[in-house]
Amino acid sequence: MRPRLVLFGDSITEQSFAPGGWGAALAEHFARQADVVLRGLSGYNTRWALKVLDRAMEGAADGGADPAAVTVFFGANDATLPDEVQAHQHVPLGEYKDNLRAICAYFKNKWPSAAIILITPPPIHEPARIRDIYGDNDPSRQPERTNEAAGTYAQACITVAKELGHPVIDIWTQMQQCPDWQTSALSDGLHFTPSGNKILFDEVLKTLESVGFSQHSLRSDLPLFHEIDPKDPLKAFEI
Amino acid sequence: MRPRLVLFGDSITEQSFAPGGWGAALAEHFARQADVVLRGLSGYNTRWALKVLDRAMEGAADGGADPAAVTVFFGANDATLPDEVQAHQHVPLGEYKDNLRAICAYFKNKWPSAAIILITPPPIHEPARIRDIYGDNDPSRQPERTNEAAGTYAQACITVAKELGHPVIDIWTQMQQCPDWQTSALSDGLHFTPSGNKILFDEVLKTLESVGFSQHSLRSDLPLFHEIDPKDPLKAFEI
């Protein structure tokens, strides 16, 4: 049975098949080895994600076999400030942690053998958020998200992952190590440029490898072209 | 049940999740509506594809429901010249047609309600093939593929599609209507640039729409962000 990777998260997951996206890059990387299943829900926080878990996973792994891994990538919307324009996306920190625990418990129960990979919210470039929301650079504006709040939620995500024994990708920290991350990795202060996508893609590959899932460890589907003998091609297809 | 699109073909399918690829663009376009399943086999012709059909489709649609559509995109390798370096990929024209008929019959039997969309081989830019194979521009070289041969196989593909009543995308003709298609649409005289991918993506969308499969006709998975009332977000999640 072909292994599956399920990507569950908010808009940064939903948009991960755009040109240069981290989801498409996974599908390309594992093209002959695994299926990548997209379950991104733009704008969602963990509270809403919890409400739709069963419906969101319809068709994600019907064949009976557990997916090899599922990425859980929420928090960017939970960390929205509670007193700014996108306040209805905000989820308090304690509830965010509880919701992450509940999402992980759901997957642990549904797919016992799947690796559950948590991803922290990314960093925020506040001036770009103001431009995105208000269409201007008025310095009296407040952004609807701050990097500090995102960092607090990132730390909470790491805490929950460690408590539950799941691998975690600290993209909040990793991305900020990139020169000019504010504009090189982020397109609008929140979503990812192709370079930002590449940072996450590399981290997901490393994490998958740490749980035994890599191009080297996986069987390739069907004879590869270079394995087919030009003098006797059909030999490769004898079972 | 979430609808599925299955992409079955050679390297132009296998590479369709690279940045700007037509497969990834389909996954992005239908992110909240359908799953795109990648089954690309680089280097394969229809003869080899027929040998592995059952194994290639493992896990492609386990849930019992037929995929909404399957693209069948072979011929670029079948049309390889029988007396040049990649001769072992060549499949005679008559056999190519028979193999396409057999592949369509297989899908018709396996997934009776799925639309079977045939795609012709793309055009060939011969000087770029010579460069790709031999690493030089020596004018005495012969390419391993010609545009004329690809056109003959494209016509055969169209004939089979019409005979069986399946929709067909004539990418050989469509692509050659693009200015400077030799280099703007093709990267190495055979595979697609992002612009070439966009041409095919648009054609696939049009063809899907012609069989009743479009963003407008499909239900979106779960409440969309703009449908969630900021004053009472949880209302959207009441079943």
Side-chain angles (χ1 to χ4, degrees):
Chain A
M1 182 67 194
R2 214 174 199 251
R4 284 194 182 155
L5 302 176
V6 176
L7 312 184
F8 184 45
D10 55 30
S11 57
I12 307 175
T13 298
E14 184 173 327
Q15 296 170 13
S16 68
F17 281 70
W22 65 281
L26 286 169
E28 157 87 348
H29 186 81
F30 292 114
R32 290 292 284 270
Q33 303 182 304
D35 286 330
V36 179
V37 180
L38 176 60
R39 289 295 183 271
L41 299 166
S42 283
Y44 276 47
N45 54 34
T46 53
R47 187 187 292 164
W48 305 345
L50 258 183
K51 296 273 179 203
V52 300
L53 263 176
D54 254 330
R55 286 183 285 162
M57 292 305 136
E58 270 175 27
D62 317 309
D66 293 356
V70 52
T71 56
V72 176
F73 188 6
F74 286 99
N77 297 318
D78 300 63
T80 301
L81 300 181
D83 46 8
E84 293 293 336
V85 284
Q86 297 294 330
H88 68 294
Q89 292 177 284
H90 173 77
V91 171
L93 191 67
E95 185 190 336
Y96 170 64
K97 292 169 76 174
D98 284 343
N99 291 345
L100 279 184
R101 288 184 190 104
I103 291 169
C104 291
Y106 172 87
F107 286 126
K108 188 85 194 154
N109 176 61
K110 186 180 179 70
W111 297 321
S113 70
I116 299 167
I117 299 172
L118 292 171
I119 306 175
T120 72
I124 296 294
H125 179 46
E126 294 158 23
R129 292 312 305 150
I130 293 174
R131 266 198 306 280
D132 189 69
I133 296 267
Y134 299 103
D136 64 34
N137 294 310
D138 183 342
S140 72
R141 305 278 198 198
Q142 296 300 316
E144 93 295 15
R145 290 165 165 85
T146 63
N147 196 37
E148 187 186 352
T152 304
Y153 281 70
Q155 198 48 58
C157 176
I158 294 166
T159 301
V160 170
K162 293 204 167 148
E163 169 194 313
L164 300 176
H166 297 313
V168 60
I169 295 170
D170 180 3
I171 197 67
W172 188 83
T173 299
Q174 289 295 334
M175 204 164 255
Q176 291 184 74
Q177 289 169 2
C178 172
D180 306 318
W181 62 270
Q182 294 90 338
T183 50
S184 69
L186 300 176
S187 60
D188 60 0
L190 167 63
H191 298 97
F192 297 178
T193 62
S195 298
N197 273 290
K198 179 72 167 62
I199 297 170
L200 180 55
F201 168 67
D202 288 341
E203 291 297 319
V204 174
L205 276 197
K206 263 196 278 180
T207 308
L208 287 172
E209 193 161 3
S210 77
V211 297
F213 190 95
S214 70
Q215 278 190 338
H216 290 295
S217 69
L218 294 167
R219 200 173 55 87
S220 280
D221 274 354
L222 304 166
L224 298 174
F225 184 55
H226 71 262
E227 297 166 352
I228 297 171
D229 181 358
K231 296 202 188 74
D232 186 8
L234 290 183
K235 193 158 184 284
F237 300 99
E238 291 167 5
I239 300 176
Chain B
M1 182 67 194
R2 213 174 200 253
R4 284 195 182 154
L5 302 175
V6 176
L7 313 184
F8 184 47
D10 55 31
S11 56
I12 307 174
T13 298
E14 183 174 327
Q15 296 169 15
S16 69
F17 282 71
W22 65 281
L26 287 169
E28 159 85 348
H29 185 81
F30 293 113
R32 290 290 283 272
Q33 304 182 303
D35 287 330
V36 179
V37 180
L38 175 61
R39 290 294 182 274
L41 300 166
S42 283
Y44 277 46
N45 53 33
T46 53
R47 185 187 292 164
W48 304 345
L50 259 184
K51 295 274 180 204
V52 299
L53 263 175
D54 254 330
R55 287 183 285 163
M57 292 305 136
E58 271 176 27
D62 317 310
D66 292 356
V70 52
T71 55
V72 175
F73 188 5
F74 287 99
N77 297 317
D78 300 63
T80 301
L81 300 182
D83 46 8
E84 293 293 336
V85 283
Q86 298 294 329
H88 68 294
Q89 291 176 285
H90 173 75
V91 170
L93 191 66
E95 184 190 337
Y96 169 65
K97 292 169 76 174
D98 284 343
N99 290 345
L100 278 185
R101 288 185 191 104
I103 291 170
C104 291
Y106 172 87
F107 285 126
K108 188 84 193 155
N109 177 62
K110 185 181 180 72
W111 297 322
S113 70
I116 299 167
I117 299 171
L118 292 171
I119 306 174
T120 73
I124 296 295
H125 180 44
E126 294 158 23
R129 293 311 306 150
I130 293 174
R131 266 197 307 280
D132 189 69
I133 297 268
Y134 299 103
D136 64 34
N137 294 312
D138 183 343
S140 71
R141 304 278 199 199
Q142 297 301 315
E144 93 293 18
R145 289 167 167 85
T146 63
N147 195 36
E148 188 188 351
T152 304
Y153 281 70
Q155 198 48 58
C157 176
I158 294 166
T159 302
V160 169
K162 293 203 166 150
E163 169 194 313
L164 301 177
H166 297 313
V168 60
I169 295 170
D170 180 3
I171 197 67
W172 187 82
T173 298
Q174 289 296 334
M175 204 164 255
Q176 291 184 74
Q177 290 170 3
C178 171
D180 306 319
W181 61 270
Q182 294 89 339
T183 50
S184 68
L186 300 176
S187 60
D188 60 0
L190 167 64
H191 298 96
F192 297 179
T193 62
S195 297
N197 274 288
K198 178 72 168 60
I199 297 170
L200 180 55
F201 168 67
D202 289 340
E203 291 296 319
V204 174
L205 277 198
K206 264 196 278 180
T207 308
L208 286 172
E209 193 161 1
S210 77
V211 298
F213 190 95
S214 71
Q215 277 190 338
H216 290 294
S217 69
L218 294 167
R219 201 173 53 88
S220 279
D221 274 353
L222 302 167
L224 297 174
F225 184 54
H226 72 262
E227 298 167 350
I228 297 172
D229 180 358
K231 296 202 187 76
D232 186 7
L234 290 183
K235 193 157 183 285
F237 300 99
E238 291 166 6
I239 300 176

